[in-house]
Amino acid sequence: MKWHIVLVYAFLAFALFLSYGIISSIATQQYELMEIVADIGAILICLDLAASTYFLKLVKHPNQKTEAHMPKVVKVTRKVGHFGIMLILCGWIVPML
């Protein structure tokens, strides 16, 4: 079995689960803003991990420098993933202040 495909689907399924949680909490008016921010950050990280995992299966030689051979989609999702990390940190730190 190809484990990288299972991981890609698991990341996408978790992102869909978090999206459903955000939509349902907004629809029922039972949410906290910082929880929504942290969940959006987690969704962005899941999308980044799914794209990166899918790309790693395409690399023939893992010892090569992969930055030069990365598709544009992976470069964009990496930046989106970093933004997701910042959202999660803000979602955790701001309520403590």
Side-chain angles (χ1 to χ4, degrees), residues 17-77:
F17 171 73
L18 289 173
S19 300
Y20 172 74
I22 289 171
I23 292 169
S24 66
S25 66
I26 289 174
T28 59
Q29 299 290 326
Q30 297 176 353
Y31 64 91
E32 290 184 23
L33 182 62
M34 288 300 134
E35 288 181 14
I36 299 276
V37 168
D39 286 346
I40 290 172
I43 290 170
L44 295 177
I45 291 173
C46 286
L47 294 177
D48 173 34
L49 290 173
S52 297
T53 304
Y54 183 75
F55 171 71
L56 286 178
K57 81 170 184 88
L58 299 176
V59 175
K60 302 283 186 208
H61 304 287
N63 294 336
Q64 286 181 346
K65 197 172 193 179
T66 59
E67 290 290 328
H69 304 306
M70 271 197 292
K72 183 75 170 172
V73 173
V74 175
K75 290 179 183 178
V76 170
T77 57

Side-chain angles (χ1 to χ4, degrees), residues 1-7 9:
M1 181 114 196
K2 304 281 184 180
W3 290 105
H4 58 275
I5 296 295
V6 173
L7 282 175
Y9 284 126

